């Protein structure tokens, strides 16, 4: 990183409204730094059930399309700000793949969203953001999402 500016920033997205604040923050920082933004979506691998049901490929195709939609949404949102975005689809354990991609591509900041779960919810659901923060050597900006009112 030179003179306090970033050249490569990554935002992890799942396409939900809950990560909108993280995406907006990543776009804003990228715009101010004139950084390239990588919009990363991680497909969680399917376990392989008994053969013959045929739904596995349909599920994989569904999640791949969801990932493409999520990353293109970031690209569209960034276009108005003049931010260059590269959509990236990865497959594996989300926290591991986010860190691995960041390290292999000289990313200078990782932006992730979180719901801020605590207690039993955090224990049961785990937290990609928490795992990224704990294991990344790269700075991580965690942006707390907002649950939309119904």
């Amino acid at each position: 990183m030179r003179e306090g500016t970033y050249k490569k920033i990554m935002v992890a997205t799942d396409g939900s409204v809950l990560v909108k604040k993280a995406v907006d923050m990543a776009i804003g920082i990228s715009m101010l730094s004139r950084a390239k933004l990588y919009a990363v979506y991680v497909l969680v691998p399917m376990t392989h059930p008994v053969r013959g049901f045929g739904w596995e490929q349909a599920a994989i195709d569904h999640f791949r399309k969801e990932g493409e939609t999520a990353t293109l949404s970031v690209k569209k949102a960034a276009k108005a700000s003049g931010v260059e975005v590269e959509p990236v689809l990865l497959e594996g354990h989300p926290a591991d793949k986010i860190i691995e991609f960041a390290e292999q591509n000289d990313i200078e900041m990782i932006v992730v969203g979180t719901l801020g779960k605590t207690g039993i919810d955090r224990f049961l659901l785990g937290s990609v953001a928490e795992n990224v923060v704990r294991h990344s050597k790269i700075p991580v900006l965690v942006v707390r999402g907002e649950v939309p009112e119904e």
Side-chain angles (χ1 to χ4, degrees):
M1 189 168 74
R2 286 189 335 221
E3 300 176 12
T5 62
Y6 299 102
K7 298 297 177 203
K8 293 182 176 182
I9 296 172
M10 181 180 109
V11 63
T13 182
D14 62 5
S16 73
V17 295
L18 299 172
V19 298
K20 183 178 178 350
K21 281 181 70 176
V23 168
D24 291 346
M25 184 72 68
I27 290 170
I29 295 169
S30 297
M31 183 183 69
L32 293 172
S33 298
R34 295 188 175 108
K36 181 173 183 179
L37 182 61
Y38 295 81
V40 175
Y41 180 96
V42 182
L43 296 137
V44 178
M46 304 277 302
T47 57
H48 298 288
V50 178
R51 293 180 186 243
F53 288 108
W55 61 267
E56 300 94 346
Q57 189 59 47
I60 291 167
D61 292 344
H62 169 78
F63 289 117
R64 182 167 300 283
K65 183 162 179 58
E66 192 174 84
E68 290 168 356
T69 300
T71 56
L72 288 175
S73 174
V74 174
K75 189 171 185 172
K76 283 181 186 177
K79 187 175 182 178
S81 301
V83 172
E84 178 186 0
V85 176
E86 182 175 323
V88 178
L89 296 181
L90 303 171
E91 186 174 337
H93 183 272
D96 294 343
K97 288 298 175 181
I98 289 167
I99 293 167
E100 181 181 297
F101 179 85
E103 289 175 353
Q104 291 176 352
N105 291 278
D106 299 319
I107 301 296
E108 296 163 304
M109 176 189 283
I110 301 169
V111 181
V112 293
T114 185
L115 281 176
K117 296 268 186 202
T118 58
I120 193 73
D121 285 339
R122 190 172 114 219
F123 175 75
L124 293 174
L125 298 174
S127 170
V128 172
E130 181 178 1
N131 281 317
V132 171
V133 168
R134 286 184 186 274
H135 300 287
S136 178
K137 297 173 188 150
I138 297 163
V140 180
L141 174 62
V142 179
V143 181
R144 189 172 186 156
E146 294 177 352
V147 178
E149 293 183 28
E150 296 179 11

